[in-house]
Amino acid sequence: MSISSRGEACLARTGVGADRNAQPFIMIRTKAAGKTVQLAALVMILLLAAATRIRNIDGPSLWIDEGFTYFTFKTDLFTALVGDRHPPLYFYSLHVWESLAGDSIFALRYWSFLPSLLSIAVVYQIAREAIRERRRENAILTVPLVAALMMALADGENYLAQELRMYTWQVLWLALSTWFYLRWMRKPSRVHAALWVAAMTGAMYTHYFSALALMVYGIHALLTLPLRRKVQAVVLLAVVGVLIAPWVLLVFTQQFRPSDACFGCGEIMNLETLRSFRQSWFGQMWPLTMLLALFGILAVVNGRVRLPSRATLLIVLLGLLPLVTTFIVSHQWLEFFNHHLAQLTIPVVVLLALGIGNFQQTGRLVLVTALVLYGVTTVDWYRQKVPWRELIAQFAPYVESNHLVLSEIGAEEAALGYYFDHLLPEDVQISSFEWWGPRDVNAYYNQQLPPLIAGQRERQADSVTTAWFVYWNANTAMRDQLLGNGFVPTMTWTVEHLGVTIPAYRYDLLPEEAMTTFEGGLTLRAAEIAAEIDTDDLRVDLWWSLERSLERSADAVPSTDFVTKAFLLDANGQQVAQLDSQPALGQRPTTSFTAGEVVYDPKSLQLAEGISQLPPGRYTVAVQVYRFEGGSIVISPTADGADYAIIGEIER
């Protein structure tokens, strides 16, 4: 039987008969079904990426670099960028986005989340271009799908998608540049040329390190394209240079000093950096992933190994040249090596996909399953950020609008400032050395800070004078000036970060004369009613110290833990609200007091049982001290013999 006869017989058995026109119809339907499956799979990958990137996107606090991004909202944007080392496109687009979406952490970081999803779709297209010179794929796990999946699981992209910086936008622009270059290389047209130029220009206006990719395009064109196309590529790259020239000529020399760059003298560009690079891009399974990437350079067609195609060579150069260049030309600001070379994610995931694509369907399934399980259970690229939000949230309820808030935390100042601005009262006075502004340290500490602290005494002349102080630095100038002006620390809140304790202090300047002393040695140094009764949200602030007398040694402490109580009496002497606790929100038992120490003790009163709202009238605010002895309450009277001290009256 001839081949033709066998084909007709097979068609007959399938019910199609000998109708030769049915065969193209079947092929079209099969091709359409394949595209539908591919599209559905790509959508599932995008949903996976969206879920992993959006989860807890507003959880970690801002850190140094994100703090600078927030700083640009508080100053002239152009001036801020001139003092920075990044191009303007991301910042100007973010400011437009913020005007529409608001300045919550979720909204601001969402501007980094969006391009990270788009990059997955573009990487899918890059991989499609890369396999055009290979055999046709019939496997369900095609190279483009695997490339998209690897991009979705990439730790770097997941991390940077949750950061208030420009890196995911840079990756997107360079992914688009690579795709458009491959399209232009295969089908030269004005549209493809224009798209390539636009994407390259967007990349350069987003991050200067994008120039490394432009170098790759130029080298690749010179190595692989015909003479005429070489000239066209050089002209198009020159157009990009012309388009970015205005910004470069205007600010580049102000952003980068000649002393910032050097050849072969960067201490961080060493084997340890390479190990960090290997961990970040290839993970703990790096022997497997690196071998797959190397295997992806070659194409296996019909059981034969072929040299890299033009597209594969481009992918290799996009990974190799930036890495080699940063080793040759070092820079003092390359501490965050992975951030600056985020563009390497593109060649890494495509080479991984190409390597997996050299296996048959069963092998692909095994490899992809292993990488997916590893990717969703392991994090290889993450930066632990200082929990500024948690720290500020602890003491924010006790900050009043007439207080002074200071910080001495170095470059984290702007990141902390976001939480000052969003968690503290609007009118509170905030001051710190502006790390991202003009750096005149002496002018701040010697000229601005002293009158600021002295002026706070006048601002709160009729009350306890308060300054809040967040401290994470070796510089003690701010603390010394507070102490020198009579302020004393009265309470401390802390957070832990990488084994380091970061404190926030309340400093108070108290009246010289105490209000009263209770039996047992506790002295009520001062008391204030800190909230309006109209809201039924009444807080009483107390300051305690240990009495020093001739009968007591300087280091004496009470032998028993006392309970301090603030309460509210109505006109009939009935108690209508109270709070009983150990001082400092229960954190400082009186047995822990040291002589001369002052302890802040805020009491947020709770309404008595059966009272849902205080009726209009005059109320007395009082303070009491007692202890438990033998299961009974023993009241400590005041120096005047009273059971409690009246500290004021309020009227509703």
Side-chain angles (χ1 to χ4, degrees):
M1 183 183 293
S2 67
I3 294 177
S4 176
S5 299
R6 290 194 186 102
E8 291 176 356
C10 290
L11 288 173
R13 285 195 296 270
T14 59
V16 177
D19 186 358
R20 299 177 183 270
N21 293 326
Q23 189 171 6
F25 177 71
I26 293 173
M27 293 177 62
I28 291 172
R29 289 188 58 185
T30 302
K31 188 175 181 180
K35 287 185 176 181
T36 301
V37 171
Q38 291 282 302
L39 179 60
L42 182 59
V43 169
M44 294 298 294
I45 290 171
L46 290 171
L47 290 175
L48 170 66
T52 57
R53 285 155 168 76
I54 205 71
R55 180 178 177 271
N56 200 36
I57 190 173
D58 57 349
S61 297
L62 301 183
W63 72 294
I64 297 174
D65 280 15
E66 293 179 293
F68 171 79
T69 304
Y70 177 65
F71 171 75
T72 65
F73 289 98
K74 304 180 67 175
T75 188
D76 178 72
L77 178 55
F78 180 79
T79 302
L81 293 180
V82 170
D84 187 41
R85 286 179 167 83
H86 295 94
L89 181 56
Y90 166 77
F91 295 98
Y92 278 99
S93 64
L94 177 65
H95 279 233
V96 174
W97 171 256
E98 184 271 342
S99 67
L100 300 173
D103 69 344
S104 68
I105 296 296
F106 181 90
L108 293 176
R109 284 179 173 160
Y110 199 83
W111 194 235
S112 298
F113 164 82
L114 288 175
S116 72
L117 293 186
L118 296 175
S119 294
I120 296 171
V122 179
V123 163
Y124 175 88
Q125 297 294 343
I126 293 173
R128 287 189 63 193
E129 293 291 334
I131 62 171
R132 285 188 177 275
E133 298 178 31
R134 293 191 175 196
R135 61 180 171 81
R136 184 172 302 221
E137 291 194 306
N138 295 317
I140 297 176
L141 289 172
T142 62
V143 168
L145 275 183
V146 174
L149 181 60
M150 294 299 101
M151 191 70 172
L153 295 173
D155 274 354
E157 277 292 291
N158 274 277
Y159 171 78
L160 295 175
Q162 296 188 343
E163 191 166 271
L164 190 55
R165 297 296 283 169
M166 75 293 295
Y167 301 108
T168 54
W169 280 102
Q170 180 202 13
V171 170
L172 174 60
W173 284 119
L174 290 179
L176 288 168
S177 300
T178 302
W179 179 32
F180 293 145
Y181 172 70
L182 290 172
R183 292 294 299 272
W184 175 81
M185 183 176 67
R186 182 169 56 87
K187 289 184 177 181
S189 69
R190 292 182 179 180
V191 173
H192 291 157
L195 290 174
W196 182 35
V197 168
M200 286 190 293
T201 305
M204 284 301 301
Y205 270 104
T206 301
H207 200 292
Y208 290 126
F209 273 39
S210 300
L212 298 173
L214 271 63
M215 290 172 54
V216 169
Y217 301 141
I219 293 172
H220 183 268
L222 294 176
L223 290 176
T224 64
L225 297 183
L227 178 60
R228 182 180 177 185
R229 303 289 299 286
K230 285 182 172 65
V231 174
Q232 292 175 347
V234 171
V235 170
L236 293 175
L237 288 169
V239 170
V240 176
V242 172
L243 292 174
I244 65 173
W247 174 260
V248 172
L249 295 175
L250 186 63
V251 304
F252 192 79
T253 56
Q254 300 177 63
Q255 291 184 322
F256 292 89
R257 298 181 300 272
S259 59
D260 288 338
C262 55
F263 289 87
C265 60
E267 295 182 1
I268 68 163
M269 304 309 296
N270 49 37
L271 290 178
E272 186 59 36
T273 302
L274 281 179
R275 292 191 190 99
S276 173
F277 163 83
R278 183 192 68 194
Q279 176 77 8
S280 298
W281 272 277
F282 293 98
Q284 298 175 36
M285 296 177 64
W286 62 267
L288 172 62
T289 50
M290 291 187 75
L291 283 173
L292 285 175
L294 290 173
F295 192 36
I297 296 175
L298 303 175
V300 179
V301 180
N302 297 325
R304 297 181 180 180
V305 177
R306 294 186 178 181
L307 294 177
S309 65
R310 290 192 304 175
T312 304
L313 177 60
L314 174 67
I315 303 303
V316 172
L317 290 175
L318 284 171
L320 191 60
L321 185 64
L323 188 62
V324 172
T325 302
T326 50
F327 262 81
I328 297 174
V329 183
S330 302
H331 193 279
Q332 67 172 1
W333 290 94
L334 275 179
E335 289 90 343
F336 307 116
F337 178 75
N338 293 346
H339 287 68
H340 290 301
L341 291 181
Q343 57 188 289
L344 294 180
T345 305
I346 301 169
V348 168
V349 299
V350 174
L351 286 176
L352 277 174
L354 290 173
I356 293 172
N358 283 322
F359 290 84
Q360 296 299 318
Q361 184 166 322
T362 302
R364 294 187 190 193
L365 181 61
V366 171
L367 290 170
V368 169
T369 301
L371 291 175
V372 168
L373 290 175
Y374 175 80
V376 298
T377 59
T378 308
V379 176
D380 294 307
W381 182 351
Y382 191 76
R383 180 183 182 86
Q384 199 72 32
K385 299 175 181 178
V386 184
W388 294 124
R389 177 176 55 191
E390 289 75 5
L391 179 62
I392 307 307
Q394 291 183 61
F395 66 80
Y398 311 104
V399 180
E400 304 291 335
S401 59
N402 61 346
H403 288 177
L404 174 64
V405 179
L406 303 170
S407 63
E408 179 57 86
I409 57 172
E412 292 272 3
E413 165 264 328
L416 177 64
Y418 176 89
Y419 300 99
F420 281 163
D421 292 342
H422 289 75
L423 297 179
L424 302 184
E426 290 185 5
D427 298 332
V428 70
Q429 188 173 8
I430 300 171
S431 179
S432 65
F433 174 67
E434 292 189 1
W435 181 267
W436 299 111
R439 299 189 184 183
D440 192 341
V441 178
N442 293 328
Y444 178 75
Y445 287 107
N446 299 328
Q447 299 175 23
Q448 299 179 39
L449 189 59
L452 183 67
I453 294 176
Q456 187 63 20
R457 303 179 64 169
E458 298 181 5
R459 194 179 184 195
Q460 292 185 268
D462 298 330
S463 62
V464 173
T465 306
T466 301
W468 299 87
F469 180 38
V470 181
Y471 182 67
W472 190 29
N473 207 323
N475 191 337
T476 63
M478 192 172 286
R479 184 198 65 183
D480 294 342
Q481 292 208 33
L482 286 170
L483 295 173
N485 279 272
F487 289 81
V488 294
T490 60
M491 193 168 178
T492 305
W493 287 263
T494 62
V495 292
E496 297 295 320
H497 176 62
L498 301 179
V500 177
T501 300
I502 303 174
Y505 302 99
R506 176 174 179 136
Y507 274 77
D508 290 300
L509 179 62
L510 301 167
E512 294 184 4
E513 185 176 347
M515 296 187 69
T516 188
T517 299
F518 292 83
E519 183 181 275
L522 286 183
T523 297
L524 183 60
R525 293 290 306 275
E528 289 185 349
I529 302 168
E532 296 292 336
I533 194 173
D534 290 340
T535 63
D536 289 335
D537 181 19
L538 180 66
R539 192 181 82 241
V540 177
D541 287 342
L542 309 174
W543 286 263
W544 301 99
S545 66
L546 180 66
E547 180 192 17
R548 292 177 126 183
S549 65
L550 295 176
E551 290 78 21
R552 299 175 62 84
S553 63
D555 58 352
V557 298
S559 59
T560 305
D561 281 332
F562 289 93
V563 176
T564 59
K565 172 182 177 180
F567 57 99
L568 199 65
L569 300 174
D570 63 13
N572 298 320
Q574 296 296 314
Q575 184 172 290
V576 295
Q578 73 177 81
L579 183 70
D580 302 45
S581 68
Q582 291 184 333
L585 303 173
Q587 300 175 18
R588 292 295 309 275
T590 54
T591 51
S592 71
F593 283 24
T594 59
E597 180 185 21
V598 179
V599 176
Y600 172 61
D601 184 21
K603 306 283 190 185
S604 296
L605 305 191
Q606 300 174 358
L607 295 177
E609 186 176 354
I611 300 177
S612 59
Q613 186 176 12
L614 291 176
R618 183 177 293 275
Y619 297 86
T620 300
V621 183
V623 175
Q624 189 176 63
V625 173
Y626 63 87
R627 69 182 186 277
F628 291 98
E629 189 173 294
S632 301
I633 293 177
V634 179
I635 296 175
S636 296
T638 67
D640 298 330
D643 286 346
Y644 55 82
I646 297 175
I647 64 172
E649 290 186 342
I650 53 178
E651 186 171 356
R652 177 181 171 87

